[in-house]
Amino acid sequence: GRHGDYADLESFADHMMMMELSRNVDAYVLSTYMHKPRNGRLTMGPIWDFNGSLGNADYFESWETEGWHYENSEFPGDNPNGFHWYTQLLQDDEFQEILTTRWSEHRTGPWSDSALLADIDATVLLLSEAQEHNFTRWPIIGEYIWPNDEGATERETYEQEVEYLKTWLINRTAWLDSQWLE
C-alpha cells in the first residue's frame, strides 16, 4: 500500500495497540517518538512514559476500560494535530488488517490475559520489599495524588492497587478483543 511504502506499518500498529491497551493519557500527542533508520521507513518508537496509563489518571476518560482513547471527548486537546498520522492510517485497509492480525498475535502471546497477569505478579514479587519501604516513607496509598483516578482514594492498601490494575487491564483487553478480534 501507499502508506507501507514510507512507513513501517507494523510499528505504527504496535504503537497504537500499546497506547490503546494502556489508555495512556500522553498517547499520540506527547511522549511520542518516531525514527527513520538510514534507507529505512518511518518507524514508531521508542515507546515510553506510562505513568498516566492503565486506569491511573483522572482526565481524557483514561479510567474507562471501554472505548477508544483517541475518541475521548477531550482528545486531543493538548495537541490538535497529534493524531493526524493515525487518522490517515485508519482509512487504509492494509493498516486495518495489520492491526487485527497483530492484536491476535499479541493476545495469544505476550498480551494474553494469563501473560499480563503473570507479569504483574512477577513485578509485585520483585517489588515486595521496595513497596513497603516506599509507602512507609511516603504513605500515599488511599490519597489522591495528581493525576490519580478518583477511585484511588477508595483503595487503601497496596494489594487493592494491584487488584485494581489487574481488573482494569483484563476489562480493557476484553473490550479491545471485541473490536480487533475477528
Side-chain angles (χ1 to χ4, degrees):
R2 66 175 206 259
H3 292 113
D5 293 343
Y6 303 101
D8 177 342
L9 295 182
E10 284 190 355
S11 77
F12 276 79
D14 286 350
H15 177 265
M16 182 176 202
M17 287 184 290
M18 179 60 86
M19 296 306 116
E20 291 298 331
L21 172 64
S22 65
R23 263 201 107 140
N24 186 352
V25 294
D26 290 336
Y28 310 114
V29 295
L30 299 172
S31 304
T32 299
Y33 290 93
M34 298 177 207
H35 66 282
K36 184 186 167 302
R38 188 179 309 272
N39 301 319
R41 294 174 293 158
L42 189 61
T43 303
M44 286 302 291
I47 59 168
W48 74 291
D49 194 9
F50 285 82
N51 62 310
S53 67
L54 300 166
N56 189 37
D58 65 355
Y59 60 101
F60 290 170
E61 300 169 15
S62 61
W63 61 90
E64 296 286 350
T65 57
E66 296 187 358
W68 296 112
H69 171 68
Y70 67 85
E71 288 183 347
N72 82 70
S73 60
E74 301 171 80
F75 181 79
D78 47 6
N79 183 352
N81 299 312
F83 195 70
H84 283 299
W85 296 96
Y86 286 100
T87 300
Q88 291 295 312
L89 288 173
L90 288 170
Q91 296 172 21
D92 185 316
D93 291 339
E94 179 185 4
F95 184 70
Q96 290 286 351
E97 176 71 24
I98 291 170
L99 272 175
T100 57
T101 300
R102 298 287 289 170
W103 180 253
S104 180
E105 290 170 359
H106 292 323
R107 288 293 284 151
T108 58
W111 289 358
S112 68
D113 288 348
S114 60
L116 292 169
L117 294 176
D119 284 347
I120 292 170
D121 288 340
T123 304
V124 166
L125 186 60
L126 179 70
L127 296 178
S128 63
E129 190 176 321
Q131 66 86 17
E132 287 179 18
H133 295 302
N134 182 79
F135 294 120
T136 298
R137 174 67 179 89
W138 295 284
I140 60 169
I141 297 280
E143 309 236 348
Y144 173 81
I145 308 293
W146 184 88
N148 291 151
D149 64 291
E150 292 179 22
T153 58
E154 297 161 17
R155 298 185 298 273
E156 297 180 351
T157 66
Y158 178 68
E159 293 74 22
Q160 287 175 325
E161 285 291 345
V162 171
E163 194 54 40
Y164 170 74
L165 172 62
K166 288 179 174 182
T167 302
W168 188 93
L169 191 55
I170 296 310
N171 288 337
R172 184 67 179 153
T173 57
W175 187 82
L176 290 168
D177 284 347
S178 77
Q179 304 299 306
W180 278 330
L181 289 183
E182 301 175 299

